[in-house]
Amino acid sequence: MVSFKTITPIDETVFLERERPTDADVEKALEIASTGYAIWRNWPLEKRIDVIRKAIAVFVGSKDNIAMEITQQMGRPIAFSGGGGAGLENRALTMLNLAPQALSPSVPSHVEGFERSIKRVPLGVVAVLAPWNYPFLTAVNAIIPALVAGNSVVLKHSDQTPLAAERFHQAFDSAGLPKGVFQFLHIDHEQVARMISDARIAYVCFTGSVVGGHAVQRALAGTFTSSGLELGGKDPAYVREDANIDFAIANIADGIFFNSGQSCCGIERVYVHKRHYRDVVDGLVSYAEGLKLGDPRDAGTTLGPMVKSSAANLVRSQIAQATSAGARTLVDTKRFEADIGHSAYLAPQIVVDCDHSMSLMSEETFGPVAGVMEVSSDDEAVALMNDSRYGL
């Protein structure tokens, strides 16, 4: 059997090891998913909602253990990992509350001689390809709507956070979901490509990198399977001349540094009106210097390691490229003993004197750093924010 290992960024040791399913296992999973779908789709909506609510309750009952598992798998400080359980519960229940209205038939405007209506029907088997950075909050956005609408789900989670998939399965199994309606597969990228191109897959939900999004599209080429893609980017923030500066600093800093900058909507570049430039820069530096970088299992840690040392080294290389081209770093990394220069532990950083020739300002960073540029007007800021090959 082929296996894979999850390396914890805490100390770069093996946290767990799992076997890869075989292609025969994938085939069996798709068969069972199709059979389960034929049953599940005919359950009354109220009954589907009730079972999913039970699954959410099972999940919430294990939230403390789940929080520590998140910390151990991808390095988020335990002080913040617990929010995943509450966030999943709130999102899932909100979607369940919206389901009766969202899934009810729609009646368009009347046309003489016709009776018109739009009926909401499930698609079939939905493949959910979930990322490691918010292993539950991203996955639940696809899993709950798919299930409540009457679809079956096959989840492929990141190799960095395989326990998230197993926790989902445990909750749905305990709640009494019919066999095959929810399954997970710890498959590799090549197996994913083969699976999602199978005619039994009706829809693909993917959250991840732009490179990963292209891979999904290649796998779906020649099929009529639809997909929803949430991909990486280079999200900007702009502090206008009339901004509430204290509010702006606090929220932008949180956007830069939370989860070690590994957030789908994290802020990676900042433009500030010249009136407030110095105050904002000083405020962001002060915020960064107040963070505690260290073992994410410690309650006092506010900045954990990045997911891998290679990810941290990519950010280091962007900073080095920027400084070699004339940019300046303002946070003294010597304040952060855990940053030893090559591990997954990376000190926060604010970089100034930047321009768009630097990869720090043009390519995805996904780390606890942002470049800051001064602007003179809204028009200049808008032009710079739009100067990106990524969608905004």
Side-chain angles (χ1 to χ4, degrees), residues 243-383:
N244 179 325
I245 298 306
D246 291 339
F247 180 87
I249 291 170
N251 283 275
I252 291 172
D254 184 63
I256 296 169
F257 301 117
F258 187 79
N259 206 37
S260 296
Q262 301 166 132
S263 299
C264 304
C265 54
I267 294 171
E268 299 202 354
R269 52 195 174 114
V270 184
Y271 305 97
V272 186
H273 190 277
K274 60 183 181 182
R275 176 182 175 188
H276 303 298
Y277 178 75
R278 178 44 54 194
D279 289 339
V280 169
V281 168
D282 289 346
L284 294 177
V285 171
S286 177
Y287 187 103
E289 291 177 343
L291 294 169
K292 181 180 178 182
L293 176 67
D295 190 324
R297 295 168 296 188
D298 295 341
T301 295
T302 54
L303 188 69
M306 293 186 64
V307 67
K308 296 179 180 179
S309 57
S310 59
N313 288 335
L314 174 63
V315 180
R316 291 184 178 104
S317 70
Q318 285 191 350
I319 295 172
Q321 188 266 344
T323 55
S324 68
R328 293 183 294 123
T329 57
L330 299 184
V331 178
D332 182 3
T333 58
K334 294 179 181 178
R335 301 170 64 98
F336 301 90
E337 294 180 2
D339 185 344
I340 57 176
H342 60 268
S343 71
Y345 291 86
L346 179 67
Q349 192 56 265
I350 295 296
V351 185
V352 296
D353 297 341
C354 302
D355 61 54
H356 280 209
S357 70
M358 302 170 183
S359 60
L360 181 68
M361 298 300 291
S362 59
E363 295 299 327
E364 186 171 18
T365 301
F366 222 55
V369 58
V372 186
M373 291 177 62
E374 178 181 312
V375 298
S376 299
S377 67
D378 291 350
D379 288 343
E380 183 183 1
V382 169

Side-chain angles (χ1 to χ4, degrees), residues 104-390:
S104 64
S106 173
V107 180
S109 58
H110 178 68
V111 174
E112 189 65 32
F114 294 89
E115 291 186 7
R116 304 195 301 165
S117 67
I118 299 172
K119 185 179 181 181
R120 319 289 186 182
V121 297
L123 296 172
V125 182
V126 175
V128 177
L129 313 177
W132 52 264
N133 62 326
Y134 287 88
F136 291 104
L137 294 185
T138 52
V140 77
N141 290 340
I143 291 170
I144 297 300
L147 289 176
V148 75
N151 303 284
S152 59
V153 169
V154 178
L155 171 65
K156 190 286 184 223
H157 221 299
S158 167
D159 287 353
Q160 192 66 41
T161 47
L163 291 183
E166 296 171 20
R167 283 292 191 176
F168 272 123
H169 185 266
Q170 178 188 44
F172 287 124
D173 190 53
S174 298
L177 217 63
K179 183 179 180 180
V181 173
F182 179 88
Q183 299 174 83
F184 70 89
L185 292 169
H186 292 320
I187 51 181
D188 63 25
H189 291 170
E190 292 182 359
Q191 289 176 301
V192 168
R194 291 194 294 272
M195 181 185 75
I196 65 176
S197 64
D198 189 284
R200 287 165 292 187
I201 296 294
Y203 194 86
V204 178
C205 297
F206 173 76
T207 304
S209 68
V210 172
V211 171
H214 281 302
V216 169
Q217 289 294 288
R218 284 194 298 271
L220 296 180
T223 75
F224 291 110
T225 304
S226 297
S227 63
L229 309 177
E230 183 196 332
L231 309 179
K234 192 66 180 175
D235 294 353
Y238 172 38
V239 182
R240 300 183 64 199
E241 186 176 11
D242 61 353
N244 179 325
I245 298 306
D246 291 339
F247 180 87
I249 291 170
N251 283 275
I252 291 172
D254 184 63
I256 296 169
F257 301 117
F258 187 79
N259 206 37
S260 296
Q262 301 166 132
S263 299
C264 304
C265 54
I267 294 171
E268 299 202 354
R269 52 195 174 114
V270 184
Y271 305 97
V272 186
H273 190 277
K274 60 183 181 182
R275 176 182 175 188
H276 303 298
Y277 178 75
R278 178 44 54 194
D279 289 339
V280 169
V281 168
D282 289 346
L284 294 177
V285 171
S286 177
Y287 187 103
E289 291 177 343
L291 294 169
K292 181 180 178 182
L293 176 67
D295 190 324
R297 295 168 296 188
D298 295 341
T301 295
T302 54
L303 188 69
M306 293 186 64
V307 67
K308 296 179 180 179
S309 57
S310 59
N313 288 335
L314 174 63
V315 180
R316 291 184 178 104
S317 70
Q318 285 191 350
I319 295 172
Q321 188 266 344
T323 55
S324 68
R328 293 183 294 123
T329 57
L330 299 184
V331 178
D332 182 3
T333 58
K334 294 179 181 178
R335 301 170 64 98
F336 301 90
E337 294 180 2
D339 185 344
I340 57 176
H342 60 268
S343 71
Y345 291 86
L346 179 67
Q349 192 56 265
I350 295 296
V351 185
V352 296
D353 297 341
C354 302
D355 61 54
H356 280 209
S357 70
M358 302 170 183
S359 60
L360 181 68
M361 298 300 291
S362 59
E363 295 299 327
E364 186 171 18
T365 301
F366 222 55
V369 58
V372 186
M373 291 177 62
E374 178 181 312
V375 298
S376 299
S377 67
D378 291 350
D379 288 343
E380 183 183 1
V382 169
L384 287 168
M385 287 189 285
N386 280 295
D387 181 25
S388 172
R389 69 187 184 94
Y390 299 102

